[in-house]
Amino acid sequence: MKKPALLTPVPAAAPAGPRPAPAATATRPATADGALAARLLGRLQRQAVPAVLVLLVLVSSVLFPSFGTLDNARSITVQTSFLAIVALGMTLVILTGGIDLSVGSVFALGGVLAAWASPWGIVPALLLPLAVCGTIGAINGLLVARAGMAPFIVTLATLLAARGLLLAVTHEGATTYLVPRGSAFAGLGQGTVWGFGHPVLIALALFGLGGVLLQRTPFGQSVFAIGGSSDAATLMGLPVARTRVLVYLLSSLLAGLAGALSAARLSSGVTIVGVGMELDAIAAVVIGGTLLTGGAGTVGGTLWGVLLLAVIQNLINQIGSLNSSYQSVVSGGFLIVVVLAQRYLFRARPTP
């Protein structure tokens, strides 16, 4: 009897088309290219404003010899220091995804209260504005964090309240409180170290502390996490409400301190200062690279943004034929360009 033939299994035919490359070969170059592109875009975001500032200073020094003098540099830094302190607090608020429209009125109120209390010494002249302005900031934070109200509405209301309290203290602006000449409080705003005013050194010290606070403490990590995603920060167990209250509190405290230093510098509590200052602070923060949606930014970038706006204003004054209102036009143009650049860079950044 004939034996049946053994059947050998036939392998299935491979699908038509080119074979896919191994996973490691396909992903490694893309991952390396993506990481390199992310680093380049991040560096561009961090270094663009300083590069523009340095270029503007060099060109202006050539075109206007008086611009590059040491006296002009001292003048720019002193005038900028008050806005810089306010913008530092605004940076903390914007990093959490919020906004603080009350800082201009709080700045003016702090100056008036400091001048009113200055005859009793430097301690009351500092403590009174800090206490009142800190209370306004705590109210902002509690209404935003605990009551769930929109930051825009809350801080707009306290803007009006702080300006109304300012007018009440000064009898509708008819009374101007003067700082005693030669007092310790006046020396805080008018004294110099190596030719640079005390407000400049105070602003630099506060920015140093702000950088350490954001980069080296759990509070700073919470600020960035809340700005990135408030819901995710809550799920991680971070103190979301407490952090938000603290950032609004710090913003008002810094605005009140800046107002007190301005009163010491001017030897009086001027009632008309601070109008529109909140917009200048927001512009400086955004130009410095902090996202309006929160979660990304640095205090160093804010300082560069403040200096850039100050140099533009000084340059307009150097030209002489232009009105000072052109500063707002240029600042607005810079702000639009920076926001568009931020959107483009973050869209172009590859996802990990």
Side-chain angles (χ1 to χ4, degrees):
M1 187 174 180
K2 192 175 180 181
K3 293 182 179 181
L6 297 176
L7 297 177
T8 305
V10 180
R19 283 187 175 184
T25 306
T27 57
R28 281 179 184 173
T31 303
D33 292 343
L36 177 60
R39 286 197 298 270
L40 291 177
L41 289 174
R43 181 171 297 181
L44 178 61
Q45 284 180 310
R46 292 190 299 269
Q47 304 300 331
V49 175
V52 172
L53 177 62
V54 171
L55 180 62
L56 186 62
V57 169
L58 292 176
V59 173
S60 302
S61 299
V62 173
L63 296 177
F64 305 98
S66 60
F67 178 87
T69 61
L70 184 59
D71 289 339
N72 191 47
R74 291 168 177 166
S75 175
I76 292 175
T77 54
V78 170
Q79 294 173 6
T80 305
S81 58
F82 310 114
L83 176 60
I85 295 174
V86 175
L88 175 59
M90 185 69 74
T91 304
L92 300 177
V93 174
I94 292 180
L95 281 174
T96 61
I99 201 75
D100 190 352
L101 300 179
S102 66
V103 292
S105 296
V106 171
F107 171 85
L109 177 61
V112 168
L113 292 176
W116 179 81
S118 60
W120 288 276
I122 187 172
V123 175
L126 290 176
L127 289 184
L128 179 62
L130 291 179
V132 175
C133 296
T135 302
I136 294 174
I139 293 172
N140 286 338
L142 290 172
L143 291 177
V144 171
R146 301 295 183 182
M149 296 180 64
F152 182 90
I153 300 300
V154 171
T155 57
L156 179 60
T158 50
L159 177 154
L160 299 175
R163 187 64 65 173
L165 180 58
L166 165 68
L167 293 176
V169 172
T170 60
H171 306 96
E172 302 295 329
T175 303
T176 300
Y177 299 104
L178 301 179
V179 176
R181 292 186 177 182
S183 63
F185 180 64
L188 185 64
Q190 300 171 8
T192 60
V193 176
W194 300 310
F196 292 92
H198 288 164
V200 177
L201 303 180
I202 294 173
L204 291 176
L206 289 173
F207 267 84
L209 292 174
V212 173
L213 186 67
L214 282 179
Q215 302 296 333
R216 303 297 184 204
T217 65
F219 171 78
Q221 296 175 3
S222 298
V223 168
F224 284 109
I226 293 169
S229 174
S230 178
D231 294 336
T234 302
L235 293 175
M236 293 168 60
L238 297 177
V240 175
R242 184 177 66 188
T243 303
R244 279 181 169 160
V245 172
L246 286 176
V247 296
Y248 283 97
L249 174 63
L250 289 173
S251 177
S252 292
L253 284 174
L254 290 171
L257 175 62
L261 293 175
S262 175
R265 179 77 181 178
L266 299 175
S267 297
S268 64
V270 183
T271 59
I272 61 173
V273 298
V275 177
M277 194 176 203
E278 61 278 356
L279 303 181
D280 292 335
I282 294 171
V285 172
V286 176
I287 289 174
T290 299
L291 293 181
L292 270 175
T293 53
T298 62
V299 296
T302 296
L303 185 58
W304 287 115
V306 171
L307 289 174
L308 180 59
L309 292 179
V311 168
I312 291 173
Q313 180 183 11
N314 189 267
L315 181 59
I316 291 175
N317 295 334
Q318 294 284 335
I319 293 174
S321 60
L322 296 178
N323 192 292
S324 60
S325 60
Y326 280 94
Q327 181 205 359
S328 300
V329 177
V330 177
S331 300
F334 262 100
L335 187 58
I336 293 175
V337 171
V338 168
V339 171
L340 290 176
Q342 284 181 351
R343 293 189 62 182
Y344 170 77
L345 290 175
F346 272 84
R347 283 180 179 178
R349 176 176 291 183
T351 55

